[in-house]
Amino acid sequence: MAVSLLGPLVITTLLCMQTLADASCTDCFVQSRAEYYPNSEVNGTDAGACGFGSFGATINGGDVSAASNLYRNGVGCGSCYQVRCTNNTYCSDNGVTVVITDQGSGDGTNFILSQRAFGGMAQTSDTAPYLLALGIVDIEYRRYPNKNITIKIYESSSNPNYLAFVIWFQQGMRDITAVQLCETQNFVCKLLDRTHGVVWTTTSPPSGPLSLRMLFSAEDGEQTWVVPSSNIPEDWKAGETYDSGVQVDK
């Protein structure tokens, strides 16, 4: 199941296995428009503003997007959205789930999708070329929990002197605005810096297995700390990914 932010501290040990087919919150979709990178590879870009690097092209199977207003100075990076177009001739009911990996603006669009993701909104592979030919389409979207929040250790990291990582697959209606790393033995915590996009860094990180704490903030000012049950191991390595074991749906 997913985790609802109902208290000041939420600790979960459960994984969310929800799929697009299970989605029923039809009243939380927002109307907008979407286009796609016409000169890009089928997957995403490896030079996105979010700081994902080469993984920005292949994360989520290449179903990625640049965002304009939803980028929000990088805080929106890594967020998951269900996006579905509204053309009944070509578009499927479920659409596609994308991850924000870049910043971009278009002709009144909130999303600039990879070609793969744009075609993924089609009913079938046969109708995808017709959808792509439209270039810009009306859509509706919502934040969507589809995968566990995941930590990707930056290649520049060096254990134990310097740690930098990005956070993939943000969900829910809130943004991650602060991150702490805590020693699991004595609970000494260190607040991390966000350098750009969703790249969180620290020199001299705490030692031992590390407990991650993420501050989720809402537009109305409400804030909640979420502590995944899965720790970053003591022998963390540059380039590795670590599953937090948690999803947030509120």
Side-chain angles (χ1 to χ4, degrees):
M1 63 176 63
V3 180
S4 297
L5 304 184
L6 299 178
L9 180 65
V10 180
I11 302 177
T12 180
T13 60
L14 300 178
L15 306 183
C16 175
M17 302 302 294
Q18 186 176 13
T19 64
L20 282 175
D22 298 326
S24 60
C25 183
T26 56
D27 60 343
C28 60
F29 281 98
V30 178
Q31 307 299 312
S32 186
R33 305 172 79 203
E35 57 185 304
Y36 67 94
Y37 291 102
N39 299 318
S40 70
E41 299 294 330
V42 174
N43 293 338
T45 175
D46 59 2
C50 289
F52 289 165
S54 60
F55 298 98
T58 58
I59 186 175
N60 199 40
D63 288 337
V64 297
S65 179
S68 53
N69 295 337
L70 298 174
Y71 179 75
R72 295 192 300 281
N73 294 320
V75 175
C77 289
S79 299
C80 296
Y81 289 91
Q82 181 185 3
V83 182
R84 61 188 190 188
C85 52
T86 57
N87 185 310
N88 293 330
T89 303
Y90 303 126
C91 301
S92 68
D93 292 336
N94 288 331
V96 66
T97 302
V98 299
V99 176
I100 301 301
T101 61
D102 197 6
Q103 179 185 24
S105 59
D107 184 14
T109 60
N110 269 323
F111 293 89
I112 304 177
L113 303 169
S114 64
Q115 290 190 39
R116 173 187 170 90
F118 198 94
M121 295 189 295
Q123 294 174 5
T124 66
S125 58
D126 291 333
T127 57
Y130 296 100
L131 186 61
L132 287 163
L134 296 177
I136 299 177
V137 293
D138 293 327
I139 62 160
E140 51 189 15
Y141 70 91
R142 63 178 176 179
R143 287 280 279 268
Y144 190 75
N146 187 43
K147 296 183 179 181
N148 293 340
I149 292 175
T150 300
I151 306 303
K152 169 70 177 180
I153 306 296
Y154 238 45
E155 297 292 347
S156 59
S157 298
S158 177
N159 194 347
N161 301 313
Y162 176 73
L163 176 59
F165 58 81
V166 294
I167 298 178
W168 293 349
F169 309 128
Q170 283 194 55
Q171 313 110 7
M173 298 306 296
R174 309 183 186 204
D175 293 315
I176 298 175
T177 56
V179 173
Q180 287 184 336
L181 283 178
C182 303
E183 296 181 7
T184 57
Q185 299 296 326
N186 55 21
F187 301 105
V188 173
C189 296
K190 186 171 186 178
L191 186 67
L192 275 61
D193 297 317
R194 184 169 70 89
T195 56
H196 66 282
V198 283
V199 181
W200 298 91
T201 67
T202 181
T203 56
S204 301
S207 59
L210 299 176
S211 174
L212 183 71
R213 301 185 66 204
M214 299 172 289
L215 181 64
F216 283 78
S217 300
E219 291 184 358
D220 62 5
E222 183 179 355
Q223 297 181 320
T224 303
W225 286 97
V226 172
V227 183
S229 59
S230 298
N231 296 324
I232 298 174
E234 181 177 6
D235 62 345
W236 56 263
K237 297 178 177 64
E240 294 294 314
T241 58
Y242 300 104
D243 189 332
S244 73
V246 65
Q247 291 193 8
V248 176
D249 66 358
K250 297 295 185 183

